[in-house]
Structure formats: C-alpha cells, structure tokens
Amino acid sequence: MNERERKLYWVSLMHETEGGVRGWYMHGLLQNAPKEEIHHWINWSTDINWSVRWCVSEYLAQYPECFPQLEKTQDPDTIHIKALPLRQWYTAL
C-alpha cells in the first residue's frame, strides 16, 4: 500500500457507516502503518465496532515506546472509559 492508497483508505473509512467494513479498512491500514499516523488512529479508539478498536490497539502495540496502549474491551459501556487514558495523553501533546 503506497501513500496515495493509504489516503484513499482513510477517506473511505471516514465515510463508511457499516462497522464490519470499517474493520476491513482499519485492518488494511494496519499493514505497514507508520507511527506518524497517530492522529488518524486516535479518533477510532472509541468506535463501537470491536474489530476497529482491535486494529487501533494493534497499531499502538507496534510502537509501545511512543504511545500508551489501549486496553481492549467488548463491553460497550466501557469503551470510552478504556480509551480515556489514550485520549487524555493525546490532547496533552
């Protein structure tokens, strides 16, 4: 995937409403994802779709020395709670 394709994936992801399709886009973006894309990944840490959040967690895990980790949860009531430390870290930058 080159930079042009990555941009197309990000744009398509932003306009996609179906969770499973968002998960496929995220999985594609996870491949060779550079750490400089953190600004794209943060917003998806609270997506209702499990596979989207799993991809965010896997992205962050690729760079443990740079980013806080996202604790995975399948409980919809705790999605925002689990993502809060990551989002607070990002807004403090």
Side-chain angles (χ1 to χ4, degrees):
M1 189 180 276
N2 61 36
E3 189 174 333
R4 182 179 164 277
E5 288 173 323
R6 292 189 73 75
K7 286 180 183 179
L8 286 172
Y9 262 60
W10 283 116
V11 169
S12 297
L13 174 64
M14 287 186 270
H15 292 96
E16 183 56 54
T17 58
E18 205 282 310
V21 177
R22 286 195 313 273
W24 280 110
Y25 279 124
M26 289 296 277
H27 189 267
L29 286 161
L30 185 57
Q31 312 311 306
N32 301 312
K35 67 181 177 182
E36 294 78 21
E37 283 187 348
I38 185 66
H39 61 281
H40 288 300
W41 292 87
I42 291 292
N43 292 333
W44 298 99
S45 64
T46 56
D47 192 90
I48 193 68
N49 185 277
W50 162 253
S51 60
V52 170
R53 292 189 322 278
W54 180 87
C55 287
V56 173
S57 178
E58 291 301 305
Y59 167 77
L60 295 168
Q62 291 179 24
Y63 303 103
E65 69 284 352
C66 299
F67 308 129
Q69 301 304 294
L70 176 62
E71 186 179 342
K72 297 177 184 97
T73 182
Q74 291 191 17
D75 178 2
D77 295 333
T78 62
I79 292 170
H80 287 277
I81 294 166
K82 300 291 184 186
L84 187 60
L86 175 65
R87 295 173 78 77
Q88 287 175 330
W89 167 84
Y90 186 71
T91 55
L93 288 180

